[in-house]
Amino acid sequence: MQMYDYLIVGAGLFGCVFAHEATKKGKKCLVVDKRDHVGGNVYCENVDGINVHKYGAHIFHTNDKDIWDYVNQFAEFNNYVNSPVSISKGKLYNLPFNMNTFYQLWGTKTPEEAKTIIESQIKEFGCKNPENLEEQALSLIGKDVYETLIKEYTEKQWGKKATELPAFIIKRLPVRYTFNNNYFNDAYQGIPIGGYNKIIDGLLEGIDIKTNVDFFKDKDALSSLAKKIVFTGKIDEFYDYNYGNLEYRSLRFENTKLNTENFQGNAVVNYNDSNVPYTRIIEHKHFEFGKQKHTVITKEFSEQWTTEKEAYYPINNEENQKKYQAYKALSLQEPDVIFGGRLAEYKYYDMHQIIASALQKTKKEFN
Ligand code: FAD
Ligand code: UDP
């Protein structure tokens, strides 16, 4: 009955890269996903000629030439550089935190002027070992930037106080003393021309796929189809919430098509203020420099996660990490299941990190 070498649960980037590499090694794979499409969170929906990033804005960036070459096998990338702006108390600021932001905040024109203010605020706070996101932000960039551009956005995004969140989250954002609005420090960045589906279709070419299939609804029958399982869903669900739920943050997306050419002049506009219910508005055409007469915008609302909702972000605080370690210990006892991806590893991975991790796991499996 074992028609396949691998049953791959989840057609996100991790599952697709694993399936592709296994197929190259002559293995037979079946990829299943509970959604009605493949691609996981990088999936794009074409709405009247505009690639809408259905599960939130996705910008590919990496410092690793091998990963860049890997994705470029499947699609050509444009030269889009992510430069979001943030609106706070009616004023607009450049992100990430750079000389433009500092000028907008204080009118400082030289790195020395900006550094003097930031360093005096960091000194005033005087924290040596930041233990949470608030402490980390205050010791990285000072009080003014924290209060204008971080605190309210962060608490809206995570539904928790910044003092209850892990410090590493804020280290995702660069701080620089140059007039450079590039959100990432990586050497390679862009959007695949024609959308992310091109990469997914390339990865899955010639591989058996079944959508609208929830692994947990037919676990035994599906498992019996293959010698091994690659699981990219939620690790706590895999173990029937044995040690209790891991916490996630969910999102709700509100899409609107508008008969206007250019709604906000940028792909990503963040809204810091707590009285604005969404965290950001995405105008998708700007990812591909679209010239259409219409536009599609998405308001992104951050929401409390429940088991019926999509889990988008792991909440990697101490309590959840402890629980995750207990699940991980169970997973290490499974000779025939490979766990990978954002949900199965409960990790705030970006796309390039997911690809690197899937390639590493295939290497381990086949070498
Ligand atoms: P997923 O894409 O989540 O795929 C997992 C798949 O498994 C899903 O399709 C799901 O339906 C399926 N599945 C789960 N359980 C089951 C089950 N029981 N049965 C069958 N199928 C199941 N990264 C970047 O590099 N740049 C960005 O700009 C960026 N922006 C992001 C914005 C948002 C809002 C979010 C949420 C993420 C962003 N990311 C970004 C991260 C990126 O989405 C992930 O790194 C990557 O897509 C994760 O791939 P994955 O395969 O691990 O998971
Ligand atoms: N962040 C912030 N203000 C912003 C943008 C981001 O305070 O305008 C913080 C917030 O805590 C967020 C984290 O930085 O969760 C990481 O932001 P990023 O844009 O990398 O998040 P993602 O795109 O993964 O949601």
Side-chain angles (χ1 to χ4, degrees), residues 8-16 32-43 53 55-62 82 157 172 183-184 191 196 210 212-217 222 231-234 237 249 251 253 280 287 300 310-313 340-345 347-355:
I8 295 170
V9 179
L13 260 185
F14 189 98
C16 293
V32 299
D33 203 294
K34 63 181 178 185
R35 295 183 184 168
D36 64 0
H37 59 76
V38 291
N41 288 343
V42 308
Y43 175 71
H53 296 200
Y55 302 96
H58 277 74
I59 300 100
F60 197 90
H61 57 97
T62 180
N82 197 33
Q157 161 71 9
R172 289 170 60 86
Y183 202 57
F184 304 110
I191 301 285
Y196 287 91
K210 283 189 183 157
N212 294 309
V213 172
D214 186 333
F215 175 67
F216 295 112
K217 297 229 162 96
L222 285 165
F231 182 77
T232 75
K234 287 176 11 239
E237 189 175 12
R249 192 71 177 152
L251 299 171
F253 300 102
R280 44 192 175 191
F287 287 126
E300 190 173 315
E310 289 285 354
Y312 288 104
Y313 294 91
R342 226 187 204 206
L343 299 172
E345 293 182 65
K347 202 164 170 188
Y348 195 171
Y349 273 130
D350 277 336
M351 290 181 279
H352 59 293
Q353 296 164 321
I354 286 286
I355 294 171

Side-chain angles (χ1 to χ4, degrees), residues 259-309:
N259 283 324
T260 170
E261 220 173 303
N262 187 2
F263 172 74
Q264 63 182 17
N266 208 26
V268 184
V269 178
N270 290 359
Y271 286 80
N272 180 69
D273 301 347
S274 56
N275 61 355
V276 177
Y278 38 87
T279 51
R280 44 192 175 191
I281 299 183
I282 309 303
E283 188 171 11
H284 302 269
K285 68 190 300 182
H286 296 308
F287 287 126
E288 300 189 58
F289 318 113
K291 297 274 181 285
Q292 299 85 349
K293 291 269 172 259
H294 58 277
T295 196
V296 179
I297 61 162
T298 302
K299 287 183 179 157
E300 190 173 315
F301 299 81
S302 194
E303 287 194 338
Q304 169 95 28
W305 176 80
T306 60
T307 43
E308 299 79 50
K309 288 187 189 167

Side-chain angles (χ1 to χ4, degrees), residues 4 45 84 93 111 124 134 174 177 245-246 299 331-332 335 365:
Y4 295 97
E45 199 165 71
Y93 299 88
E124 198 180 315
E134 178 168 294
Y177 292 94
N245 272 5
L246 289 167
K299 287 183 179 157
S331 77
L332 294 174
E365 184 73 0

